[in-house]
Amino acid sequence: MDETIKNRIFDPYFTTKEKGVGTGLGLSLVHGIVSKIGGEITVESELGKGTTFRVYLPRIDTEAAEKTKPLNPLPEGRECILFVDDEEVLVDIGQRMLEKLGYKVIARTSPLEALEAFRAKADKIDLVISDLTMPNMTGDVLAQELMRLRPDLPIIVCSGFSEQMNEQNARAMGIREFVMKPLVMRKLADTIRKVLDED
């Protein structure tokens, strides 16, 4: 890649894809995760030859890690969850996390396909988890469409970056929870049970 692109690859929403093909949040999310734990990413790239990413993570103090109290078991469930994100890799990760927690998962990378899937199985889906920023239809609009079909439907909306949406705005729209990305298994497991057990 050239220097202009290289200097912007970690910017939220920067993408070289055509409009409507991707959101440009993948590398931004990775950078956010690595930075949050005190790590660093370096990039070397030569136009026409290739690109190398190096991820440096802080070393864990083994002694301190061993003294840490074990966490309570992750809450699990058997309900059916519709999981929506336009990034294929995030759908794959999300689906694996949810299935590991015992849930049945219907995964979609398009909000329009998710809406069709819901229409086909509205009575079988117990919860919807949707990304906020997606092409063709944002997660909050998808949530409104789904709640028109089933007003009592529990919905969790997730975002890596949002100036328009926060927990208060989400709740005012009828969305049960608003979760910031990256999705951490403990937080996701706890939030799902909180939302499902409210009903």
Side-chain angles (χ1 to χ4, degrees):
M1 68 184 95
D2 62 32
E3 282 297 310
T4 309
I5 292 173
K6 183 181 159 187
N7 291 335
R8 296 197 59 201
I9 56 172
F10 295 119
D11 292 354
Y13 303 109
F14 174 74
T15 181
T16 55
K17 294 178 182 177
E18 292 175 22
K19 191 174 181 182
V21 177
T23 59
L25 279 171
L27 281 174
S28 174
L29 279 172
V30 171
H31 187 267
I33 294 166
V34 172
S35 299
K36 196 172 185 179
I37 60 171
E40 191 175 324
I41 302 179
T42 64
V43 186
E44 293 168 17
S45 186
E46 199 171 332
L47 196 59
K49 290 201 174 176
T51 302
T52 303
F53 288 86
R54 287 190 174 86
V55 179
Y56 299 92
L57 302 174
R59 201 167 99 186
I60 294 174
D61 181 348
T62 313
E63 198 175 314
E66 285 171 1
K67 288 178 183 174
T68 307
K69 289 181 182 176
L71 292 169
N72 293 330
L74 290 169
E76 299 179 346
R78 296 288 173 265
E79 291 90 344
C80 181
I81 297 175
L82 174 59
F83 187 87
V84 194
D85 197 302
D86 64 308
E87 300 276 348
E88 260 184 68
V89 68
L90 297 181
V91 167
D92 186 48
I93 292 167
Q95 184 167 2
R96 287 186 198 189
M97 286 169 66
L98 294 170
E99 286 174 349
K100 196 168 184 181
L101 292 167
Y103 297 102
K104 294 183 224 59
V105 183
I106 299 169
R108 293 291 183 271
T109 54
S110 156
L112 299 175
E113 288 176 12
L115 192 53
E116 287 309 307
F118 183 81
R119 283 187 178 124
K121 297 188 176 183
D123 58 332
K124 303 256 190 316
I125 295 170
D126 301 296
L127 171 73
V128 175
I129 301 174
S130 175
D131 183 31
L132 177 63
T133 309
M134 297 182 288
N136 302 316
M137 185 186 289
T138 57
D140 54 330
V141 174
L142 174 62
Q144 289 172 329
E145 291 296 321
L146 293 171
M147 286 187 288
R148 276 194 194 101
L149 297 170
R150 207 173 102 201
D152 64 332
L153 179 67
I155 300 174
I156 298 170
V157 169
C158 314
S159 177
F161 174 83
S162 174
E163 291 178 353
Q164 298 87 16
M165 181 69 74
N166 57 38
E167 199 172 331
Q168 289 75 26
N169 294 345
R171 285 182 176 272
M173 294 171 63
I175 295 166
R176 302 290 177 89
E177 289 290 333
F178 177 72
V179 178
M180 290 301 293
K181 288 182 176 179
L183 294 178
V184 180
M185 199 158 184
R186 164 68 57 181
K187 172 74 174 166
L188 184 61
D190 288 343
T191 305
I192 289 169
R193 284 302 354 139
K194 178 185 171 189
V195 168
L196 287 172
D197 295 342
E198 273 177 2
D199 290 345

